[in-house]
Amino acid sequence: MRRLQYLYLYMLPILLVVIMGWTVVYAQDNTDDRPNILMVYVDDLDHEPFGFMGNEIIQTPNIDQLAGDGIVFSNAFAVTATCITSRGNLMTGRYAARTGIYFDQFDELTEEQVQMSYPAQLRESGYYTGYVGKWHLGRVPEGVFDDDRRYSGQGQFWSEERPSDGGTHLTDHLGNKAVDMIREAPDGKPFALTVGFKAPHVQDGFHPVEPYPPSPSTAVLYEEDEIPAPPLSDSTFFNSQPELIRKSLGRVRWDYRLGPPESLNFQRSMRRYYRMVTGVDNQVGKMLDALRETGRHDNTIIVLTGDHGLYLGDRGLAGKWLGHETSIRVPLIVRHPGIAGAERGTRREQMVLMIDFMPTFLDWAGLTPKDGVQGQSFAPIVDGQRPENWRTEFFYEHHSFPDRIPPSEGVRTERYKYLRYLDSDPLYEELYDLKKDPDESNNLADESEYEELLQQMRDKWKQWKKDVQ
């Protein structure tokens, strides 16, 4: 018996060491070292007002740094340039023709759309998920986010709860929440966080004096700067467009939000728009600092983009909706820790669409999209690959509020663009050679020498219209 006791006392430490070793090995084998994903999704963010894009007035040092450390996509686009629909494209990886998510015909995501969204699939695979800020997709679904700090609707930059003489501006408020979310994300599992800024979206309603109420931190910026006239902002070009555009909501909003480039209203509004962009840039800097301070910067993929572009007086319009480049083109920066040093700060020319983000996020997480996803993962392009089957054209659609915005569809290829206004009578079409005419100033649709090309683009439109449904 005494020998057994000695044997037990002798073997117990060895047994404990073995058990602890097994535990360590098991824990190591089950460590989830997939990258964190931080998505910064900005509303009404034009693709040009950044220092890294050559704008010598606006101050965007943090976004410029992000571009210098990452990859800039020169040809990123919304497939429907309006807030709700573009968010539906983002979440589901599908065109609106398939989801039915149109601004004026939408209440909330279906259960199937919720379950196929990238946050739901990432959470199911073990990611810690969070969302802060503007949701704008109807009722907030339950069980998708571990940390849920969203608000529905448009939101107010200053409200009765946060008046302009006290409290916190909405942009700063959301940035603070995003920093808290980064700091509070648990260790031991990757996170996927989405930050939805309202800025630089105009404050909704009729606000002729202050459509872009800034944060106090940016309130005096650009006061002495003269904002240059945007392309095709002269009255001669505007009057050359058909009545369906001249009387659309884009012109109505131009009248009270902008006006001619030389007017006080235009200069005042654009300075305030720039302030709103700089306000978002300040929050990006805070999030980058939080990632570094928590030791997560080197394992976090950061994606910054917007839901669509914006007419800022271009073509004599304000808003978005139509299919011109300024409306559909979005900024896209991807900062991936795995990018080689020589690749940092370089650009990619491939077409990336709003429907591509969802499959890309899943790809980074080692997941495969469900059936019915129409987008493609651009993760290989970030890595410097050139996929042979990558798209060379895409379909554009906008159908919401037909009484105020002319419904349109079209096809954009690498060189040409065709736009078709569905309710026009007689039919109004636009055809542009983007290589020769990047501002889309010369409509070729009525020129006889382009009749064959016009028909080719019409045929593409017909085929695409069938394929996207």
Side-chain angles (χ1 to χ4, degrees), residues 57-303:
I57 297 176
I58 199 164
Q59 300 172 29
T60 53
N62 297 296
I63 295 176
D64 295 345
Q65 177 188 334
L66 200 63
D69 290 342
I71 300 296
V72 175
F73 283 81
S74 301
N75 291 294
F77 299 95
V79 292
T80 297
T82 196
C83 303
I84 285 178
T85 305
S86 194
R87 282 165 170 73
N89 302 143
L90 170 72
M91 285 290 162
T92 67
R94 294 173 172 177
Y95 279 95
R98 184 167 295 185
T99 64
I101 300 175
Y102 297 108
F103 204 135
D104 55 348
Q105 305 168 34
F106 175 79
D107 294 317
E108 61 188 44
L109 296 174
T110 67
E111 184 60 28
E112 187 259 353
Q113 290 167 351
V114 169
Q115 293 308 313
M116 77 176 300
S117 69
Y118 72 82
Q121 293 190 65
L122 291 176
R123 186 171 189 260
E124 185 180 2
S125 79
Y127 268 75
Y128 180 85
T129 58
Y131 196 110
V132 57
K134 183 175 179 178
W135 172 244
H136 211 35
L137 277 173
R139 182 186 64 86
V140 177
E142 298 180 359
V144 175
F145 298 105
D146 296 292
D147 192 341
D148 191 344
R149 309 189 191 196
R150 290 168 295 165
Y151 66 83
S152 58
Q154 288 285 4
Q156 300 285 321
F157 290 111
W158 296 107
S159 67
E160 293 179 0
E161 292 74 31
R162 293 192 298 275
S164 56
D165 59 350
T168 306
H169 187 271
L170 179 61
T171 302
D172 302 331
H173 181 67
L174 297 180
N176 293 338
K177 283 189 172 185
V179 167
D180 291 343
M181 190 175 288
I182 291 170
R183 294 185 184 282
E184 295 168 11
D187 295 325
K189 62 190 309 185
F191 64 67
L193 309 180
T194 303
V195 184
F197 285 104
K198 174 182 174 67
H201 191 290
V202 71
Q203 184 61 69
D204 296 294
F206 184 74
H207 294 272
V209 176
E210 193 60 282
Y212 297 106
S215 163
S217 63
T218 63
V220 297
L221 292 178
Y222 316 120
E223 196 61 39
E224 302 301 321
D225 291 303
E226 187 77 12
I227 310 301
L232 309 181
S233 56
D234 58 283
S235 59
T236 301
F237 179 83
F238 175 76
N239 290 326
S240 71
Q241 300 178 99
E243 182 176 317
L244 59 89
I245 292 178
R246 288 186 283 112
K247 291 189 175 181
S248 69
L249 184 59
R251 183 61 173 187
V252 172
R253 291 190 173 180
W254 178 92
D255 280 332
Y256 66 84
R257 288 184 183 172
L258 294 172
E262 66 276 9
S263 68
L264 175 62
N265 195 35
F266 175 86
Q267 292 296 323
R268 181 171 55 196
S269 292
M270 287 302 300
R271 289 166 185 155
R272 282 155 172 74
Y273 180 87
Y274 278 20
R275 290 170 187 166
M276 299 286 258
V277 175
T278 298
V280 171
D281 183 84
N282 290 341
Q283 308 315 308
V284 170
K286 287 161 54 174
M287 287 184 275
L288 292 173
D289 288 342
L291 289 171
R292 294 187 188 97
E293 291 166 5
T294 57
R296 291 171 162 138
H297 187 263
D298 292 338
N299 191 38
T300 300
I301 300 170
I302 305 169
V303 178

Side-chain angles (χ1 to χ4, degrees), residues 356-364 369 375-381 387 390:
D356 294 333
F357 288 90
M358 179 266 223
T360 302
F361 295 160
L362 298 187
D363 193 356
W364 282 328
Q376 302 170 261
S377 170
F378 57 82
I381 300 175
W390 196 258

